[in-house]
Amino acid sequence: MDDESNRVGLRGIVIDVTERKRAEDALRESEELYRTLVKTSPDAVTATDLEGRITEVSQRTLELYGFEHTDELLGKNSIDFITPEHRERAILNLQKTVSEGIVRNLEYNMLKNDGSRFIGELSASLIKDQHGNPKGFIATTRDITERKKLEEMRSNFINVAAHEIRTPVSAIKAHVDLLNIKRERGLLELPDEAHKTLGIITRNMTGLITLINNLLDFTRLEAGKVGVKMELSSIEFQASQAIKEILPLATKKDHQIDLHLPTGLPPMMMDEDLMKAILKNLLSNAIKYTPEGGSINVVIQEEGDCIHITVKDTGVGIPKEDLDKIFRPFHVVDISGSVLERSYIERTGLGLAITKEYVKMHDGSIWVESRIGEGSTFHVLFPIKAR
Ligand code: ADP
């Protein structure tokens, strides 16, 4: 009996050791694979431990920071490559990577080996060991200094051009407004053709002014010149105001707008002007991209620590491949072939890009669900206590 149990025990140990060896081999292999991937990546990839000390780098990282050999970088703290004014934010973002697993497109002023500066765009993921415990980070860095310079030049150019255009356009608008007022009051008789032309000029003038204002808002945003004044305020009030201001547009197209609100929504931290701009933009898109006689539903709900707003329309919808792109500046969806193909719609492709930035300023997020021909639902989620 004793013999039997010994043997069984012995066999157990042999199995244990084999299993452990297999696990160790697998671990070593995956470690090697991971190191090879980092080393050979065409991007500037840096692996670090949890304190940010560098454990592996790719060739591109050496070039980016101006080093010759990997050894010169191993053991250095990656935070030291970020300029002092951005270090505190970088440490906070490292903590965020631990809690969220991944952070994307962070911008920092960074330092090269020779002390020169560049603007880096950094994305980082948390790496875990075989037990699922955080073990370090893997980050890719891009030098976006040139891109930033070009963006700044483009932004300045658009800003100056829009300002220059606004002055004469405002003067023309004032004259057109005057003609319209005189005609409405019966002080001006116009032949049919001139009346029609005045209508076309007025409509296009409004479109042009929207475009100029959007361009100016956009460049102000890009230049970081939009100030945010956060205060406790009622989302219910802002939504009602936004609907009230946009109602004439909806009435013109015979749309029905419904607002659904639970009673007792808590006040939330917001910039009132920006919040109203967010809501008005989503509403005006819903109106624009819905054929006459449609319905638009606005629902505001409290969800945990957040306020969730949805704006749903019965419009033309957005193709799947455009769902992300519509939040990029100047992206407009091809609506030829839709029922709106022949309608006059003011389009700049800037409204949602601006809206997205305003949402970000509230630490919120925005996304859309849509079906072609059935309609779209825009979602915005705001933390009640943002900042
Ligand atoms: P604009 O409406 O001035 O073109 P936006 O940035 O507001 O610019 O929107 C970008 C594009 O997204 C629009 O051109 C349109 O194609 C699409 N879009 C936005 N909202 C809707 C909507 N509610 N329904 C269908 N398409 C939409």
Side-chain angles (χ1 to χ4, degrees), residues 362-373:
H362 288 80
D363 291 335
S365 47
I366 182 166
W367 70 100
V368 61
E369 292 168 318
S370 188
R371 265 174 194 274
I372 287 290

Side-chain angles (χ1 to χ4, degrees), residues 12 63 127 164 248 267 316:
E63 290 159 15
I127 304 296
E164 291 295 319
V316 289

Side-chain angles (χ1 to χ4, degrees), residues 46-48 52-57 61-67 69-87 90 107-122 141:
T46 308
T48 72
R53 277 187 299 263
I54 296 171
T55 53
E56 194 59 83
V57 291
T61 305
L62 295 179
E63 290 159 15
L64 179 67
Y65 291 115
F67 287 90
H69 303 289
T70 307
D71 291 349
E72 296 173 79
L73 270 172
L74 298 186
K76 285 203 160 66
N77 199 309
S78 54
I79 297 283
D80 294 339
F81 291 96
I82 290 169
T83 56
E85 72 270 17
H86 284 176
R87 265 179 215 158
E107 279 181 31
Y108 300 118
N109 290 334
M110 301 186 76
L111 294 163
K112 297 193 183 225
N113 191 19
D114 62 6
S116 61
R117 286 176 170 229
F118 68 99
I119 305 173
E121 186 181 68
L122 208 135
T141 311

Side-chain angles (χ1 to χ4, degrees), residues 281 285-286 288-289 313 316-318 326 331-333 346-353 376 378:
N281 190 18
N285 276 350
K288 279 197 297 187
Y289 296 104
D313 63 50
V316 289
I318 302 160
I326 54 170
H331 186 83
V332 296
V333 177
E346 275 168 25
R347 304 178 87 193
T348 66
L350 282 173
L352 285 176
S376 311
F378 281 82

Side-chain angles (χ1 to χ4, degrees), residues 308-327:
H308 186 174
I309 304 173
T310 51
V311 179
K312 185 170 190 253
D313 63 50
T314 52
V316 289
I318 302 160
K320 231 187 201 156
E321 61 273 20
D322 287 293
L323 289 179
D324 278 341
K325 295 185 195 146
I326 54 170
F327 297 100

Side-chain angles (χ1 to χ4, degrees), residues 89-136:
R89 184 160 61 87
I91 292 168
L92 283 176
N93 278 322
L94 272 190
Q95 289 160 3
K96 195 170 162 203
T97 318
V98 174
S99 59
E100 295 183 8
I102 191 158
V103 290
R104 287 196 181 93
N105 304 339
L106 306 168
E107 279 181 31
Y108 300 118
N109 290 334
M110 301 186 76
L111 294 163
K112 297 193 183 225
N113 191 19
D114 62 6
S116 61
R117 286 176 170 229
F118 68 99
I119 305 173
E121 186 181 68
L122 208 135
S123 298
S125 309
L126 182 69
I127 304 296
K128 293 183 176 169
D129 65 16
Q130 77 267 38
H131 306 294
N133 298 319
K135 162 177 133 166

Side-chain angles (χ1 to χ4, degrees), residues 135 148 193 287 301 321 374 385:
K135 162 177 133 166
K148 289 299 253 185
E193 201 178 340
I287 294 168
Q301 285 167 301
E321 61 273 20
E374 290 182 22
K385 294 195 182 99

